[in-house]
Amino acid sequence: MPLLHISMRAGKPDAYRQAILDGLYRAMREALNVPEGDEFMSISELAPANFRCGNAYGVNRSDDAVLIQITVFASRTPAQKKALYRRIAELLGDNPGIRPEDVFVNVLDAPAENWSVGNGIAQFA
């Protein structure tokens, strides 16, 4: 049950943004065994004055950087997360052509009782 939020600079075409969503969904299906149809993703496009990525940690980022935050059940292993990071960078590099240096991913672990996917109930608690 991943919940994704992507932040990026405004101005990219619809097909570019859709390629990001498609690549992220595919990476989650492959690396985290996310079920088909489990797609809860949003993109926020920000004006340059409202979006900043530095070059910390020896990574030279460009204006095409994307910040990807993924909240998941607290059941994923470090190996699964590493596979996810790698696959996201590969797929977004293929389409829409984002450099690996510009792919910033943060995974947040949340207990199952922290989720309500509809109807006001905690389906996984």
Side-chain angles (χ1 to χ4, degrees):
M1 173 54 62
L3 174 64
L4 279 76
H5 184 73
I6 301 99
S7 298
M8 57 187 282
R9 286 185 185 225
K12 298 293 185 187
D14 289 351
Y16 186 95
R17 295 189 312 276
Q18 288 304 306
I20 291 172
L21 295 173
D22 292 344
L24 290 171
Y25 177 60
R26 180 175 171 191
M28 290 188 308
R29 298 254 307 138
E30 293 175 6
L32 303 181
N33 300 315
V34 169
E36 186 173 338
D38 193 342
E39 300 180 68
F40 300 93
M41 302 180 274
S42 64
I43 293 179
S44 293
E45 293 184 276
L46 303 163
N50 297 326
F51 185 85
R52 184 184 300 180
C53 287
N55 291 322
Y57 308 104
V59 180
N60 186 19
R61 295 173 190 86
S62 75
D63 289 344
D64 289 331
V66 291
L67 306 179
I68 303 163
Q69 190 167 62
I70 305 172
T71 306
V72 296
F73 287 146
S75 61
R76 309 299 189 197
T77 67
Q80 285 177 304
K81 292 174 189 176
K82 289 177 182 180
L84 177 67
Y85 305 146
R86 186 173 43 257
R87 194 63 178 131
I88 288 172
E90 291 169 355
L91 290 170
L92 297 187
D94 291 344
N95 188 24
I98 300 172
R99 300 175 329 131
E101 297 90 343
D102 287 327
V103 178
F104 182 105
V105 181
N106 172 237
V107 173
L108 302 173
D109 295 317
E113 68 268 13
N114 287 10
W115 298 80
S116 172
V117 297
N119 299 319
I121 59 173
Q123 287 87 350
F124 307 102

mmCIF file of all heavy atoms in Angstrom, residues 22-67:
data_model
loop_
_atom_site.group_PDB
_atom_site.id
_atom_site.type_symbol
_atom_site.label_atom_id
_atom_site.label_comp_id
_atom_site.label_asym_id
_atom_site.label_seq_id
_atom_site.Cartn_x
_atom_site.Cartn_y
_atom_site.Cartn_z
ATOM 1 N N ASP A 22 4.259 6.136 -14.267
ATOM 2 C CA ASP A 22 4.320 4.767 -14.786
ATOM 3 C C ASP A 22 5.584 4.044 -14.321
ATOM 4 O O ASP A 22 5.543 2.877 -13.927
ATOM 5 C CB ASP A 22 4.252 4.758 -16.311
ATOM 6 C CG ASP A 22 2.903 5.194 -16.862
ATOM 7 O OD1 ASP A 22 1.910 5.224 -16.098
ATOM 8 O OD2 ASP A 22 2.850 5.517 -18.071
ATOM 9 N N GLY A 23 6.718 4.739 -14.368
ATOM 10 C CA GLY A 23 7.973 4.137 -13.940
ATOM 11 C C GLY A 23 7.979 3.810 -12.455
ATOM 12 O O GLY A 23 8.458 2.750 -12.044
ATOM 13 N N LEU A 24 7.438 4.709 -11.645
ATOM 14 C CA LEU A 24 7.389 4.463 -10.210
ATOM 15 C C LEU A 24 6.486 3.274 -9.883
ATOM 16 O O LEU A 24 6.838 2.422 -9.061
ATOM 17 C CB LEU A 24 6.919 5.715 -9.476
ATOM 18 C CG LEU A 24 7.916 6.869 -9.477
ATOM 19 C CD1 LEU A 24 7.277 8.123 -8.919
ATOM 20 C CD2 LEU A 24 9.159 6.498 -8.689
ATOM 21 N N TYR A 25 5.344 3.205 -10.538
ATOM 22 C CA TYR A 25 4.428 2.087 -10.308
ATOM 23 C C TYR A 25 5.086 0.763 -10.704
ATOM 24 O O TYR A 25 5.039 -0.220 -9.955
ATOM 25 C CB TYR A 25 3.134 2.322 -11.080
ATOM 26 C CG TYR A 25 2.132 1.206 -10.976
ATOM 27 C CD1 TYR A 25 1.604 0.825 -9.741
ATOM 28 C CD2 TYR A 25 1.713 0.532 -12.111
ATOM 29 C CE1 TYR A 25 0.678 -0.205 -9.647
ATOM 30 C CE2 TYR A 25 0.783 -0.501 -12.026
ATOM 31 C CZ TYR A 25 0.270 -0.854 -10.793
ATOM 32 O OH TYR A 25 -0.649 -1.874 -10.710
ATOM 33 N N ARG A 26 5.747 0.754 -11.846
ATOM 34 C CA ARG A 26 6.432 -0.472 -12.299
ATOM 35 C C ARG A 26 7.535 -0.877 -11.315
ATOM 36 O O ARG A 26 7.666 -2.050 -10.967
ATOM 37 C CB ARG A 26 7.001 -0.268 -13.694
ATOM 38 C CG ARG A 26 7.708 -1.486 -14.228
ATOM 39 C CD ARG A 26 8.157 -1.301 -15.652
ATOM 40 N NE ARG A 26 9.022 -2.402 -16.059
ATOM 41 C CZ ARG A 26 9.725 -2.395 -17.173
ATOM 42 N NH1 ARG A 26 9.646 -1.387 -18.021
ATOM 43 N NH2 ARG A 26 10.491 -3.422 -17.459
ATOM 44 N N ALA A 27 8.311 0.085 -10.856
ATOM 45 C CA ALA A 27 9.390 -0.209 -9.911
ATOM 46 C C ALA A 27 8.837 -0.787 -8.614
ATOM 47 O O ALA A 27 9.404 -1.739 -8.061
ATOM 48 C CB ALA A 27 10.203 1.053 -9.631
ATOM 49 N N MET A 28 7.728 -0.242 -8.138
ATOM 50 C CA MET A 28 7.126 -0.759 -6.909
ATOM 51 C C MET A 28 6.572 -2.169 -7.109
ATOM 52 O O MET A 28 6.694 -3.011 -6.233
ATOM 53 C CB MET A 28 6.025 0.174 -6.417
ATOM 54 C CG MET A 28 6.543 1.482 -5.886
ATOM 55 S SD MET A 28 5.251 2.475 -5.112
ATOM 56 C CE MET A 28 3.996 2.529 -6.375
ATOM 57 N N ARG A 29 5.976 -2.415 -8.276
ATOM 58 C CA ARG A 29 5.453 -3.758 -8.566
ATOM 59 C C ARG A 29 6.593 -4.767 -8.582
ATOM 60 O O ARG A 29 6.462 -5.856 -8.055
ATOM 61 C CB ARG A 29 4.718 -3.776 -9.907
ATOM 62 C CG ARG A 29 3.521 -2.878 -9.970
ATOM 63 C CD ARG A 29 2.181 -3.513 -9.933
ATOM 64 N NE ARG A 29 1.998 -4.541 -10.923
ATOM 65 C CZ ARG A 29 1.390 -5.698 -10.642
ATOM 66 N NH1 ARG A 29 0.930 -5.936 -9.448
ATOM 67 N NH2 ARG A 29 1.234 -6.618 -11.573
ATOM 68 N N GLU A 30 7.724 -4.383 -9.176
ATOM 69 C CA GLU A 30 8.847 -5.302 -9.312
ATOM 70 C C GLU A 30 9.633 -5.479 -8.009
ATOM 71 O O GLU A 30 9.979 -6.596 -7.638
ATOM 72 C CB GLU A 30 9.783 -4.822 -10.419
ATOM 73 C CG GLU A 30 9.164 -4.887 -11.797
ATOM 74 C CD GLU A 30 10.049 -4.309 -12.887
ATOM 75 O OE1 GLU A 30 11.211 -3.939 -12.609
ATOM 76 O OE2 GLU A 30 9.567 -4.216 -14.033
ATOM 77 N N ALA A 31 9.924 -4.386 -7.318
ATOM 78 C CA ALA A 31 10.798 -4.452 -6.145
ATOM 79 C C ALA A 31 10.057 -4.721 -4.838
ATOM 80 O O ALA A 31 10.620 -5.318 -3.923
ATOM 81 C CB ALA A 31 11.600 -3.153 -6.019
ATOM 82 N N LEU A 32 8.804 -4.268 -4.758
ATOM 83 C CA LEU A 32 8.059 -4.402 -3.502
ATOM 84 C C LEU A 32 6.856 -5.334 -3.605
ATOM 85 O O LEU A 32 6.089 -5.457 -2.655
ATOM 86 C CB LEU A 32 7.581 -3.020 -3.023
ATOM 87 C CG LEU A 32 8.640 -1.954 -2.797
ATOM 88 C CD1 LEU A 32 7.989 -0.671 -2.303
ATOM 89 C CD2 LEU A 32 9.713 -2.432 -1.828
ATOM 90 N N ASN A 33 6.664 -5.934 -4.778
ATOM 91 C CA ASN A 33 5.514 -6.818 -4.991
ATOM 92 C C ASN A 33 4.185 -6.127 -4.715
ATOM 93 O O ASN A 33 3.265 -6.718 -4.148
ATOM 94 C CB ASN A 33 5.645 -8.089 -4.145
ATOM 95 C CG ASN A 33 6.873 -8.870 -4.482
ATOM 96 O OD1 ASN A 33 7.182 -9.077 -5.658
ATOM 97 N ND2 ASN A 33 7.618 -9.278 -3.474
ATOM 98 N N VAL A 34 4.067 -4.874 -5.107
ATOM 99 C CA VAL A 34 2.831 -4.119 -4.936
ATOM 100 C C VAL A 34 1.762 -4.718 -5.855
ATOM 101 O O VAL A 34 2.038 -5.012 -7.022
ATOM 102 C CB VAL A 34 3.073 -2.621 -5.264
ATOM 103 C CG1 VAL A 34 1.787 -1.848 -5.351
ATOM 104 C CG2 VAL A 34 3.999 -2.022 -4.216
ATOM 105 N N PRO A 35 0.550 -4.909 -5.345
ATOM 106 C CA PRO A 35 -0.496 -5.519 -6.177
ATOM 107 C C PRO A 35 -0.916 -4.628 -7.342
ATOM 108 O O PRO A 35 -0.807 -3.398 -7.267
ATOM 109 C CB PRO A 35 -1.669 -5.715 -5.223
ATOM 110 C CG PRO A 35 -1.222 -5.325 -3.876
ATOM 111 C CD PRO A 35 0.101 -4.652 -3.993
ATOM 112 N N GLU A 36 -1.419 -5.260 -8.372
ATOM 113 C CA GLU A 36 -1.942 -4.523 -9.516
ATOM 114 C C GLU A 36 -3.069 -3.599 -9.054
ATOM 115 O O GLU A 36 -3.900 -3.983 -8.226
ATOM 116 C CB GLU A 36 -2.462 -5.490 -10.571
ATOM 117 C CG GLU A 36 -2.888 -4.794 -11.841
ATOM 118 C CD GLU A 36 -3.253 -5.767 -12.942
ATOM 119 O OE1 GLU A 36 -2.820 -6.929 -12.906
ATOM 120 O OE2 GLU A 36 -3.986 -5.334 -13.846
ATOM 121 N N GLY A 37 -3.068 -2.388 -9.574
ATOM 122 C CA GLY A 37 -4.098 -1.407 -9.245
ATOM 123 C C GLY A 37 -3.822 -0.619 -7.980
ATOM 124 O O GLY A 37 -4.565 0.303 -7.647
ATOM 125 N N ASP A 38 -2.751 -0.928 -7.266
ATOM 126 C CA ASP A 38 -2.391 -0.223 -6.034
ATOM 127 C C ASP A 38 -1.585 1.014 -6.416
ATOM 128 O O ASP A 38 -0.360 1.037 -6.342
ATOM 129 C CB ASP A 38 -1.583 -1.153 -5.134
ATOM 130 C CG ASP A 38 -1.440 -0.623 -3.714
ATOM 131 O OD1 ASP A 38 -1.663 0.576 -3.493
ATOM 132 O OD2 ASP A 38 -1.095 -1.419 -2.831
ATOM 133 N N GLU A 39 -2.290 2.033 -6.881
ATOM 134 C CA GLU A 39 -1.663 3.255 -7.377
ATOM 135 C C GLU A 39 -2.226 4.457 -6.634
ATOM 136 O O GLU A 39 -3.333 4.893 -6.899
ATOM 137 C CB GLU A 39 -1.937 3.419 -8.877
ATOM 138 C CG GLU A 39 -1.400 2.289 -9.722
ATOM 139 C CD GLU A 39 -1.682 2.487 -11.196
ATOM 140 O OE1 GLU A 39 -1.108 3.419 -11.792
ATOM 141 O OE2 GLU A 39 -2.484 1.706 -11.735
ATOM 142 N N PHE A 40 -1.446 4.976 -5.692
ATOM 143 C CA PHE A 40 -1.817 6.166 -4.939
ATOM 144 C C PHE A 40 -0.635 7.126 -5.026
ATOM 145 O O PHE A 40 0.297 7.063 -4.223
ATOM 146 C CB PHE A 40 -2.165 5.799 -3.491
ATOM 147 C CG PHE A 40 -3.316 4.836 -3.408
ATOM 148 C CD1 PHE A 40 -3.098 3.468 -3.354
ATOM 149 C CD2 PHE A 40 -4.619 5.310 -3.441
ATOM 150 C CE1 PHE A 40 -4.155 2.578 -3.304
ATOM 151 C CE2 PHE A 40 -5.693 4.433 -3.388
ATOM 152 C CZ PHE A 40 -5.459 3.062 -3.317
ATOM 153 N N MET A 41 -0.670 7.983 -6.055
ATOM 154 C CA MET A 41 0.475 8.838 -6.370
ATOM 155 C C MET A 41 0.002 10.236 -6.733
ATOM 156 O O MET A 41 -1.062 10.391 -7.337
ATOM 157 C CB MET A 41 1.246 8.253 -7.552
ATOM 158 C CG MET A 41 1.750 6.850 -7.334
ATOM 159 S SD MET A 41 2.670 6.189 -8.747
ATOM 160 C CE MET A 41 1.343 5.545 -9.746
ATOM 161 N N SER A 42 0.799 11.225 -6.374
ATOM 162 C CA SER A 42 0.517 12.602 -6.777
ATOM 163 C C SER A 42 1.821 13.295 -7.138
ATOM 164 O O SER A 42 2.891 12.939 -6.648
ATOM 165 C CB SER A 42 -0.196 13.369 -5.655
ATOM 166 O OG SER A 42 0.642 13.491 -4.527
ATOM 167 N N ILE A 43 1.692 14.268 -8.017
ATOM 168 C CA ILE A 43 2.833 15.094 -8.410
ATOM 169 C C ILE A 43 2.503 16.541 -8.090
ATOM 170 O O ILE A 43 1.423 17.024 -8.438
ATOM 171 C CB ILE A 43 3.148 14.963 -9.910
ATOM 172 C CG1 ILE A 43 3.643 13.551 -10.234
ATOM 173 C CG2 ILE A 43 4.190 16.004 -10.344
ATOM 174 C CD1 ILE A 43 3.964 13.315 -11.698
ATOM 175 N N SER A 44 3.422 17.217 -7.429
ATOM 176 C CA SER A 44 3.321 18.658 -7.208
ATOM 177 C C SER A 44 4.376 19.327 -8.064
ATOM 178 O O SER A 44 5.566 19.001 -7.971
ATOM 179 C CB SER A 44 3.566 19.015 -5.739
ATOM 180 O OG SER A 44 2.539 18.526 -4.926
ATOM 181 N N GLU A 45 3.920 20.237 -8.903
ATOM 182 C CA GLU A 45 4.843 21.014 -9.731
ATOM 183 C C GLU A 45 5.005 22.383 -9.090
ATOM 184 O O GLU A 45 4.021 23.060 -8.790
ATOM 185 C CB GLU A 45 4.278 21.168 -11.132
ATOM 186 C CG GLU A 45 4.202 19.867 -11.892
ATOM 187 C CD GLU A 45 3.729 20.106 -13.302
ATOM 188 O OE1 GLU A 45 2.507 20.179 -13.492
ATOM 189 O OE2 GLU A 45 4.587 20.243 -14.187
ATOM 190 N N LEU A 46 6.250 22.764 -8.907
ATOM 191 C CA LEU A 46 6.549 23.993 -8.178
ATOM 192 C C LEU A 46 7.324 24.975 -9.045
ATOM 193 O O LEU A 46 8.153 24.571 -9.868
ATOM 194 C CB LEU A 46 7.362 23.651 -6.931
ATOM 195 C CG LEU A 46 6.672 22.639 -5.996
ATOM 196 C CD1 LEU A 46 7.666 22.042 -5.031
ATOM 197 C CD2 LEU A 46 5.527 23.297 -5.276
ATOM 198 N N ALA A 47 7.064 26.249 -8.830
ATOM 199 C CA ALA A 47 7.828 27.297 -9.499
ATOM 200 C C ALA A 47 9.277 27.211 -9.036
ATOM 201 O O ALA A 47 9.546 26.773 -7.910
ATOM 202 C CB ALA A 47 7.243 28.670 -9.157
ATOM 203 N N PRO A 48 10.225 27.612 -9.878
ATOM 204 C CA PRO A 48 11.640 27.544 -9.477
ATOM 205 C C PRO A 48 11.926 28.196 -8.122
ATOM 206 O O PRO A 48 12.763 27.696 -7.372
ATOM 207 C CB PRO A 48 12.363 28.260 -10.617
ATOM 208 C CG PRO A 48 11.488 28.016 -11.801
ATOM 209 C CD PRO A 48 10.076 28.069 -11.259
ATOM 210 N N ALA A 49 11.219 29.273 -7.794
ATOM 211 C CA ALA A 49 11.437 29.941 -6.509
ATOM 212 C C ALA A 49 10.980 29.088 -5.331
ATOM 213 O O ALA A 49 11.357 29.362 -4.186
ATOM 214 C CB ALA A 49 10.704 31.283 -6.489
ATOM 215 N N ASN A 50 10.193 28.056 -5.597
ATOM 216 C CA ASN A 50 9.650 27.199 -4.534
ATOM 217 C C ASN A 50 10.220 25.788 -4.544
ATOM 218 O O ASN A 50 9.670 24.888 -3.904
ATOM 219 C CB ASN A 50 8.128 27.113 -4.659
ATOM 220 C CG ASN A 50 7.470 28.460 -4.473
ATOM 221 O OD1 ASN A 50 7.928 29.287 -3.699
ATOM 222 N ND2 ASN A 50 6.399 28.688 -5.197
ATOM 223 N N PHE A 51 11.302 25.589 -5.278
ATOM 224 C CA PHE A 51 11.886 24.248 -5.377
ATOM 225 C C PHE A 51 13.399 24.373 -5.413
ATOM 226 O O PHE A 51 13.951 25.056 -6.274
ATOM 227 C CB PHE A 51 11.387 23.553 -6.652
ATOM 228 C CG PHE A 51 11.829 22.126 -6.779
ATOM 229 C CD1 PHE A 51 11.107 21.115 -6.181
ATOM 230 C CD2 PHE A 51 12.954 21.801 -7.505
ATOM 231 C CE1 PHE A 51 11.505 19.779 -6.298
ATOM 232 C CE2 PHE A 51 13.366 20.479 -7.634
ATOM 233 C CZ PHE A 51 12.637 19.474 -7.030
ATOM 234 N N ARG A 52 14.062 23.716 -4.487
ATOM 235 C CA ARG A 52 15.512 23.795 -4.437
ATOM 236 C C ARG A 52 16.099 22.438 -4.076
ATOM 237 O O ARG A 52 15.648 21.786 -3.147
ATOM 238 C CB ARG A 52 15.943 24.815 -3.382
ATOM 239 C CG ARG A 52 17.425 25.028 -3.326
ATOM 240 C CD ARG A 52 17.843 25.962 -2.223
ATOM 241 N NE ARG A 52 17.232 27.274 -2.389
ATOM 242 C CZ ARG A 52 17.435 28.282 -1.555
ATOM 243 N NH1 ARG A 52 18.202 28.132 -0.504
ATOM 244 N NH2 ARG A 52 16.851 29.433 -1.774
ATOM 245 N N CYS A 53 17.088 22.023 -4.832
ATOM 246 C CA CYS A 53 17.861 20.808 -4.538
ATOM 247 C C CYS A 53 19.327 21.179 -4.584
ATOM 248 O O CYS A 53 19.818 21.613 -5.613
ATOM 249 C CB CYS A 53 17.591 19.719 -5.579
ATOM 250 S SG CYS A 53 15.987 18.963 -5.445
ATOM 251 N N GLY A 54 20.009 20.969 -3.498
ATOM 252 C CA GLY A 54 21.433 21.240 -3.466
ATOM 253 C C GLY A 54 22.220 20.060 -4.013
ATOM 254 O O GLY A 54 21.664 19.055 -4.452
ATOM 255 N N ASN A 55 23.524 20.212 -3.984
ATOM 256 C CA ASN A 55 24.427 19.178 -4.497
ATOM 257 C C ASN A 55 25.148 18.454 -3.367
ATOM 258 O O ASN A 55 26.290 18.025 -3.519
ATOM 259 C CB ASN A 55 25.422 19.789 -5.483
ATOM 260 C CG ASN A 55 24.741 20.226 -6.762
ATOM 261 O OD1 ASN A 55 23.830 19.557 -7.242
ATOM 262 N ND2 ASN A 55 25.149 21.354 -7.302
ATOM 263 N N ALA A 56 24.471 18.300 -2.245
ATOM 264 C CA ALA A 56 25.063 17.631 -1.088
ATOM 265 C C ALA A 56 25.299 16.153 -1.370
ATOM 266 O O ALA A 56 24.707 15.571 -2.290
ATOM 267 C CB ALA A 56 24.145 17.786 0.125
ATOM 268 N N TYR A 57 26.167 15.553 -0.567
ATOM 269 C CA TYR A 57 26.468 14.120 -0.591
ATOM 270 C C TYR A 57 27.147 13.673 -1.878
ATOM 271 O O TYR A 57 27.027 12.525 -2.291
ATOM 272 C CB TYR A 57 25.212 13.293 -0.305
ATOM 273 C CG TYR A 57 24.528 13.752 0.952
ATOM 274 C CD1 TYR A 57 23.370 14.511 0.886
ATOM 275 C CD2 TYR A 57 25.081 13.487 2.201
ATOM 276 C CE1 TYR A 57 22.764 14.975 2.043
ATOM 277 C CE2 TYR A 57 24.480 13.949 3.357
ATOM 278 C CZ TYR A 57 23.320 14.699 3.268
ATOM 279 O OH TYR A 57 22.738 15.172 4.410
ATOM 280 N N GLY A 58 27.827 14.610 -2.547
ATOM 281 C CA GLY A 58 28.590 14.275 -3.733
ATOM 282 C C GLY A 58 27.758 13.998 -4.965
ATOM 283 O O GLY A 58 28.229 13.356 -5.898
ATOM 284 N N VAL A 59 26.522 14.488 -4.969
ATOM 285 C CA VAL A 59 25.627 14.278 -6.109
ATOM 286 C C VAL A 59 25.354 15.621 -6.766
ATOM 287 O O VAL A 59 24.846 16.545 -6.129
ATOM 288 C CB VAL A 59 24.300 13.617 -5.668
ATOM 289 C CG1 VAL A 59 23.391 13.410 -6.866
ATOM 290 C CG2 VAL A 59 24.562 12.302 -4.957
ATOM 291 N N ASN A 60 25.683 15.728 -8.043
ATOM 292 C CA ASN A 60 25.502 16.970 -8.793
ATOM 293 C C ASN A 60 24.124 16.959 -9.462
ATOM 294 O O ASN A 60 23.948 16.363 -10.518
ATOM 295 C CB ASN A 60 26.616 17.115 -9.831
ATOM 296 C CG ASN A 60 26.570 18.453 -10.530
ATOM 297 O OD1 ASN A 60 25.958 19.398 -10.045
ATOM 298 N ND2 ASN A 60 27.211 18.524 -11.682
ATOM 299 N N ARG A 61 23.151 17.602 -8.816
ATOM 300 C CA ARG A 61 21.775 17.619 -9.307
ATOM 301 C C ARG A 61 21.533 18.793 -10.244
ATOM 302 O O ARG A 61 22.143 19.840 -10.112
ATOM 303 C CB ARG A 61 20.814 17.681 -8.129
ATOM 304 C CG ARG A 61 20.886 16.443 -7.260
ATOM 305 C CD ARG A 61 20.049 16.573 -5.985
ATOM 306 N NE ARG A 61 20.359 15.446 -5.106
ATOM 307 C CZ ARG A 61 21.370 15.431 -4.244
ATOM 308 N NH1 ARG A 61 22.160 16.483 -4.120
ATOM 309 N NH2 ARG A 61 21.594 14.370 -3.508
ATOM 310 N N SER A 62 20.590 18.597 -11.161
ATOM 311 C CA SER A 62 20.223 19.652 -12.108
ATOM 312 C C SER A 62 18.829 20.177 -11.775
ATOM 313 O O SER A 62 18.183 19.746 -10.814
ATOM 314 C CB SER A 62 20.239 19.098 -13.542
ATOM 315 O OG SER A 62 19.105 18.288 -13.773
ATOM 316 N N ASP A 63 18.350 21.082 -12.601
ATOM 317 C CA ASP A 63 16.997 21.612 -12.431
ATOM 318 C C ASP A 63 15.925 20.566 -12.725
ATOM 319 O O ASP A 63 14.748 20.796 -12.465
ATOM 320 C CB ASP A 63 16.780 22.823 -13.345
ATOM 321 C CG ASP A 63 17.552 24.047 -12.884
ATOM 322 O OD1 ASP A 63 18.008 24.072 -11.718
ATOM 323 O OD2 ASP A 63 17.708 24.981 -13.696
ATOM 324 N N ASP A 64 16.311 19.417 -13.252
ATOM 325 C CA ASP A 64 15.362 18.343 -13.541
ATOM 326 C C ASP A 64 15.218 17.358 -12.383
ATOM 327 O O ASP A 64 14.573 16.310 -12.544
ATOM 328 C CB ASP A 64 15.786 17.579 -14.802
ATOM 329 C CG ASP A 64 15.581 18.402 -16.057
ATOM 330 O OD1 ASP A 64 14.676 19.247 -16.085
ATOM 331 O OD2 ASP A 64 16.340 18.189 -17.022
ATOM 332 N N ALA A 65 15.777 17.680 -11.232
ATOM 333 C CA ALA A 65 15.683 16.784 -10.084
ATOM 334 C C ALA A 65 14.228 16.551 -9.700
ATOM 335 O O ALA A 65 13.384 17.443 -9.826
ATOM 336 C CB ALA A 65 16.451 17.359 -8.896
ATOM 337 N N VAL A 66 13.948 15.323 -9.256
ATOM 338 C CA VAL A 66 12.629 14.979 -8.727
ATOM 339 C C VAL A 66 12.834 14.438 -7.315
ATOM 340 O O VAL A 66 13.772 13.680 -7.046
ATOM 341 C CB VAL A 66 11.883 13.945 -9.602
ATOM 342 C CG1 VAL A 66 11.482 14.549 -10.928
ATOM 343 C CG2 VAL A 66 12.690 12.689 -9.815
ATOM 344 N N LEU A 67 11.960 14.879 -6.413
ATOM 345 C CA LEU A 67 11.976 14.404 -5.033
ATOM 346 C C LEU A 67 10.807 13.441 -4.887
ATOM 347 O O LEU A 67 9.654 13.829 -5.104
ATOM 348 C CB LEU A 67 11.826 15.564 -4.047
ATOM 349 C CG LEU A 67 12.826 16.708 -4.191
ATOM 350 C CD1 LEU A 67 12.533 17.794 -3.173
ATOM 351 C CD2 LEU A 67 14.240 16.197 -4.056
#
